[in-house]
């Protein structure tokens, strides 16, 4: 009689080998799934960094935009400019009327200057 049952030993080795291969397959699957998750996380971080840069850029642009106080000052300056333009217009009309009177006077003067 044999001391070791080789058929049973071979069966036990085959079962252990199959279990080991199943565990390795599960580990490789989990590792690849985890690696894909890490890649997705890195891509998400890159996109978030891009969005943060755009937000910072927009914040800087917003700081340089005029606010309500600036717009009020601009409206006041425009109102003063309109008043000055109205004054200039009135003065120009008066000057134009005087120039027209002088022109009429000079045009109606007798020619030759000797009477």
């Amino acid at each position: 009689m044999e001391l070791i049952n080789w058929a049973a030993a071979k069966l036990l080795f085959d079962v252990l080998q199959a279990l080991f291969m199943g565990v390795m397959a599960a580990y490789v699957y989990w590792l690849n799934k985890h690696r894909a998750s890490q890649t997705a996380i890195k891509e998400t971080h890159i996109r978030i960094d891009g969005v943060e840069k755009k937000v910072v850029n927009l914040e800087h642009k917003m700081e340089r935009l005029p606010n309500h106080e600036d717009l009020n000052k601009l409206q006041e300056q425009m109102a003063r400019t309109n008043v000055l333009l109205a004054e200039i217009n009135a003065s120009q009309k008066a000057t134009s009327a005087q120039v027209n009177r002088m022109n009429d006077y000079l045009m109606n003067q007798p020619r030759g200057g000797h009477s």
Side-chain angles (χ1 to χ4, degrees):
M1 173 164 188
E2 289 183 19
L3 215 47
I4 298 175
N5 185 352
W6 293 108
K10 183 176 182 328
L11 178 65
L12 180 64
F13 179 75
D14 288 342
V15 168
L16 289 175
Q17 185 179 11
L19 286 175
F20 179 74
M21 293 303 287
V23 169
M24 287 302 292
Y27 174 72
V28 168
Y29 171 76
W30 179 81
L31 191 63
N32 285 337
K33 183 179 178 185
H34 183 69
R35 185 178 302 141
S37 297
Q38 288 296 328
T39 303
I41 290 171
K42 286 179 185 177
E43 289 175 2
T44 303
H45 282 299
I46 290 170
R47 287 187 9 224
I48 289 173
D49 289 342
V51 169
E52 285 178 348
K53 287 178 185 177
K54 289 180 182 180
V55 168
V56 168
N57 190 14
L58 286 173
E59 286 174 347
H60 288 298
K61 287 181 180 179
M62 289 292 292
E63 289 172 358
R64 290 181 276 168
L65 289 177
N67 56 20
H68 290 290
E69 183 179 322
D70 295 331
L71 292 176
N72 287 337
K73 287 179 184 178
L74 183 62
Q75 286 177 340
E76 290 172 6
Q77 289 175 354
M78 288 175 65
R80 284 187 294 227
T81 302
N82 286 340
V83 168
L84 290 173
L85 284 173
E87 290 174 1
I88 290 170
N89 188 25
S91 174
Q92 187 270 336
K93 284 182 182 179
T95 304
S96 176
Q98 289 175 352
V99 167
N100 285 337
R101 275 190 236 130
M102 285 191 274
N103 186 34
D104 288 342
Y105 175 76
L106 292 174
M107 293 300 266
N108 293 331
Q109 285 291 323
R111 304 245 172 191
H114 299 293
S115 326

